[in-house]
Amino acid sequence: KQEVTQIPAALSVPEGENLVLNCSFTDSAIYNLQWFRQDPGKGLTSLLLIQSSQREQTSGRLNASLDKSSGRSTLYIAASQPGDSATYLCAPGGSGTYKYIFGTGTRLKVLA
Amino acid sequence: NAGVMQNPRHLVRRRGQEARLRCSPMKGHSHVYWYRQLPEEGLKFMVYLQKENIIDESGMPKERFSAEFPKEGPSILRIQQVVRGDSAAYFCASSPPGLQGAEAFFGQGTRLTVV
């Protein structure tokens, strides 16, 4: 059974800092891993998708890495902005049934 | 190409009533997933469906909850005889067929309140 842990649970930083959000998962038999953003009371926005054969993906100020064998993924946010404030969710996509299992998220607050 | 559409966005039901939540996947997507998010908690997988088939319902409560994805029309998550503990946000996601590792897209969710 896949279990996903995200560290830290909450993070409050001044604007402009570079950030590292960590995700670990117990079952390395995954097809891919997605990082999402969730704003309060809203749905999920997909940020990055990393296939199991890839080691990283980049989109703008975001970079996600994947070490499948050790069950870890990291989301880097460069030059953080107040608009980045949200909850960030990691979700490895399992083999077989394709379902995504979510971590509990990192609640990020970027102060102006 | 419209995204994943869920309706209603907000639903209020009295205890004992039935709640029906609808999800229209993105065009061309035949895989649908339902998740539940309780207040201040993470998203929990409920069920994974393909057209006319339930593939994985390991996260569905054993009673009162059912899901379907008919050949025509949206996927439906049905909750019978709702209780206060069913109050949550219910999210639907879809992905395209036949592609292992395909990206999942989420709807905006239905927020169910049981009074």
Side-chain angles (χ1 to χ4, degrees), chain B residues 6 16 24 30 32 37 47 77 81 88 91-93 99 115:
Chain B
Q6 290 189 248
S24 296
S30 60
V32 166
Q37 187 173 37
V47 62
L77 180 67
Q81 299 176 329
F91 291 96
C92 167
L99 295 177
V115 298

Side-chain angles (χ1 to χ4, degrees), chain A residues 31-32 34 36 38-51 89 91 96-105 107, chain B residues 9 31 33 35 37 40-45 48 50 55-56 58 91 95 98-109 111:
Chain A
Y31 279 130
N32 60 19
Q34 278 191 245
F36 294 88
Q38 185 177 29
D39 293 280
K42 304 289 186 182
L44 278 71
T45 301
S46 179
L47 297 173
L48 288 165
L49 169 70
I50 312 177
Q51 301 295 344
L89 299 164
T97 62
Y98 308 106
K99 68 188 181 190
Y100 288 87
I101 301 299
F102 282 83
T104 50
R107 192 175 301 176
Chain B
R9 292 291 306 277
H31 296 192
Y33 313 78
Y35 289 81
Q37 187 173 37
E40 304 302 319
E41 294 190 15
L43 278 86
K44 301 297 184 185
F45 168 79
Y48 161 49
Q50 295 180 14
I55 306 301
D56 183 340
S58 58
F91 291 96
S95 63
L99 295 177
Q100 294 177 355
E103 186 173 4
F105 294 86
F106 279 75
Q108 291 297 302
R111 280 154 182 81

